[in-house]
Amino acid sequence: MVRVRYAPSPTGMPHVGNIRTALFNWVFARHHGGKFIVRIEDTDRARFVEGSEQAILSSLRWLGLDWDEGPEVGGPHAPYHQSQRLEIYHQIAHQLVAEGKAYKCFCTPEELEQMRAQQRAQGAAATMYDRRCRKLTPAEVKAREESGLPYVIRFKMPLEGTVEYEDLIHGRTVFQNKLTDDFVMLKSDGFPTYHLANVVDDHLMEITHVMRGDEWISSMPRHLNLYAALGWAPPQFAHLPLLLGPDRQKLSKRHGATDMPEFIRQGYLSDAMFNFLALCGWNPGDDREILSRAEIIELFSIERISDNPFIFHHDKLLWMNGHYIRELPKERLVELCLPYLQQAGLVPQTLDEATRAYVAQVVPLEQEKMKLLSDAPRLLDFFFTDEYPVDEAAVRKWYGEPHIPQMLEELIRRYEALEPFTAPEIERVTREVIAWLGVKGGEVIHPTRIALSGRTTGPSLFEMIEALGKPRVLQRLRNAQKWVFRR
RNA sequence: GGCCCCAUGGUCUAGCGGUCCAGGACGCCUGGUUUUCAGCCAGGAGGACGGGGGUUCGAAUCCCCCUGGGGUCACCA
């Protein structure tokens, strides 16, 4: 039985890279009919951010990543918050001390910093704990303990030899033990470090495969030696390629949106995000890129995970989101865009039937142009308000033309009398005006569009006119007459 | 700097010794469709696969070195 886990720490908004890791684990579990476990690694009180756990969990839910065990759902290995498992880590850490595989260290942070500074000054290749407390005699330890000195528990790394493992993505990797120092397992506040808590919980929760970011590879000697010291068989490891920004540096805020709540706010679709994230380091092996959750689950395999870093470019995500928006049923699109229109103040929070119908009529007109749901207000504002931006250059270009006054007058006259006021009818009479004026279609269509929406681009004109409705159209055309007069 | 990871067009990626004068997608450009934009359709530019050595009848594909990029060296994860 495959059992994988996603183990975020609630230290901020969930980062895309992190969610990508969650997604790979989830897909892997679903592919194998295994279990997906969420475990909250809240062992750093200093970096704890209130509300971030909720943001993480809701991001998972938004993407459709449900968990079989974890917060809110419980499970056979509860609790799933490491802060509630302190006794376990304590017990194990002290057991290792008793077995001579770990030791208490009384060095203060200041002492350690001084030590590192000295090492750096001496040109050390890497700073390393010099193991001074490893050499303490039992009597010395006892004395310090009795005088109430705080201590951490450090793991005794082997001084020689190597550890190796077979990474499911990178293959066999070997490390020399002497290059890793005696790392802290249990902090002086009684909380475990990642290394201890992670290893202990992965074992206790019977995790079979650990899929995490490449930045953890360098911790493998610690983890491997810990497993060995505990007499436990390590799970399989698969280290995923890192997500980088376009400048090849670790993806961060200056590269644009990086946290999931922000992507959601911007109006990315869950399906698009899922699809894109799945392709961040994985591919199905053929040319397909648009893939459903079901297809991804079916095709997923660790062998097809790339081992080079993935540069996260928003433009492809944006394209994919546009694709998914175009595929949306109209009703769904309307439903998804509504909150954005409301937030922009274009549509009231509580709407009557007429407004609802109007929104439903108008939103699909710009469906193929939308890349983000948040594009809706910008694209559709003129349908809801008279306070929309006007392209002055376009007005200047068209409203100096000699046929405009007549055109407006004629349009107003015919539209006013037109019944029913529908796109085909509107097109028919508009074409009559074009013929009557003896101008090209565009010479009427463009200035009319400007008169009605303030811009040169927009939905198909006749449908737009029908949707706007006769009163609004007539009013805006009359308004345009005033502009012409003013020239 | 030590250790580790990585290396196919701007980006993602297919390729796992010959079927590759390297395929697809995004982006970019051109043309078509059209009342505009977008979309859609068609086409195009752009890489001799980071460099150098090997192995082999034959290498983008295997090996080595170099170079470049990244990760990591915390009582953070």
Side-chain angles (χ1 to χ4, degrees), chain A residues 31 37 54-55 82 93 133 139 141 151 158 173 187 193 216 219 229 239 246-247 260 282 363 370 414 423 435:
Chain A
H31 176 88
I37 293 122
Q54 279 317 309
Q82 291 187 326
C133 288
V141 171
Y151 63 84
T173 308
K187 306 181 226 178
T193 60
W216 291 106
S219 293
H239 288 95
D247 56 359
M260 222 12 77
W282 172 83
V363 168
M370 278 186 218
R414 294 184 195 236

Side-chain angles (χ1 to χ4, degrees), chain A residues 104-122:
Chain A
K104 293 170 181 171
C105 166
F106 299 88
C107 295
T108 64
E110 296 71 34
E111 246 177 294
L112 293 172
E113 190 35 56
Q114 194 188 350
M115 177 203 74
R116 283 189 209 102
Q118 201 175 347
Q119 290 178 357
R120 277 190 289 265
Q122 286 167 196

Side-chain angles (χ1 to χ4, degrees), chain A residues 190-263:
Chain A
F191 278 69
T193 60
Y194 173 87
H195 307 301
L196 208 219
N198 195 264
V199 163
V200 167
D201 286 343
D202 282 347
H203 177 258
L204 261 24
M205 295 182 180
E206 302 174 69
I207 299 303
T208 57
H209 301 256
V210 170
M211 250 185 269
R212 72 231 296 194
D214 265 353
E215 73 268 27
W216 291 106
I217 293 178
S218 55
S219 293
M220 284 306 291
R222 300 184 225 280
H223 301 168
L224 259 9
N225 278 108
L226 237 187
Y227 276 108
L230 261 4
W232 297 340
Q236 304 248 60
F237 292 91
H239 288 95
L240 307 173
L242 253 22
L243 256 40
L244 268 29
D247 56 359
R248 296 194 160 273
Q249 303 299 304
K250 229 176 166 179
L251 193 60
S252 69
K253 274 158 236 48
R254 68 201 162 80
H255 298 118
T258 51
D259 65 77
M260 222 12 77
E262 184 168 3
F263 281 107

Side-chain angles (χ1 to χ4, degrees), chain A residues 226-418:
Chain A
L226 237 187
Y227 276 108
L230 261 4
W232 297 340
Q236 304 248 60
F237 292 91
H239 288 95
L240 307 173
L242 253 22
L243 256 40
L244 268 29
D247 56 359
R248 296 194 160 273
Q249 303 299 304
K250 229 176 166 179
L251 193 60
S252 69
K253 274 158 236 48
R254 68 201 162 80
H255 298 118
T258 51
D259 65 77
M260 222 12 77
E262 184 168 3
F263 281 107
I264 298 170
R265 245 180 283 122
Q266 288 184 2
Y268 284 97
L269 263 31
S270 172
D271 289 349
M273 204 68 207
F274 189 102
N275 192 160
F276 186 77
L277 253 23
L279 262 18
C280 288
W282 172 83
N283 73 79
D286 55 34
D287 287 342
R288 282 180 294 173
E289 292 200 302
I290 299 296
L291 298 159
S292 67
R293 283 179 173 75
E295 290 172 311
I296 291 166
I297 290 169
E298 189 201 327
L299 298 166
F300 191 82
S301 81
I302 290 183
E303 293 74 61
R304 296 220 61 88
I305 295 176
S306 157
D307 48 12
N308 43 9
F310 185 93
I311 298 180
F312 193 93
H313 272 266
H314 285 76
D315 54 5
K316 185 139 188 185
L317 207 206
L318 209 54
W319 163 78
M320 193 172 274
N321 204 54
H323 172 87
Y324 275 91
I325 285 180
R326 270 172 251 128
E327 302 249 295
L328 240 33
K330 305 253 181 276
E331 315 74 56
R332 180 74 182 135
L333 207 227
V334 171
E335 186 188 324
L336 289 168
C337 286
L338 189 57
Y340 290 89
L341 296 171
Q342 289 172 319
Q343 205 194 335
L346 295 170
V347 174
Q349 286 302 320
T350 51
L351 35 161
D352 51 52
E353 273 316 301
T355 310
R356 187 176 289 281
Y358 185 54
V359 172
Q361 181 183 12
V362 142
V363 168
L365 294 179
E366 291 288 49
Q367 179 164 18
E368 46 186 33
K369 209 171 300 174
M370 278 186 218
K371 294 242 192 295
L372 295 169
L373 296 175
S374 58
D375 288 338
R378 178 176 57 75
L379 257 16
L380 300 165
D381 54 0
F382 66 90
F383 279 112
F384 300 98
T385 173
D386 292 328
E387 304 298 309
Y388 50 82
V390 171
D391 181 346
E392 295 297 344
V395 171
R396 253 178 274 119
K397 178 185 173 202
W398 284 102
Y399 282 72
E401 297 294 318
H403 69 288
I404 297 295
Q406 263 190 319
M407 176 197 86
L408 289 171
E409 205 182 309
E410 220 28 54
L411 247 23
I412 289 167
R413 198 172 63 74
R414 294 184 195 236
Y415 286 170
E416 199 160 24
L418 189 60

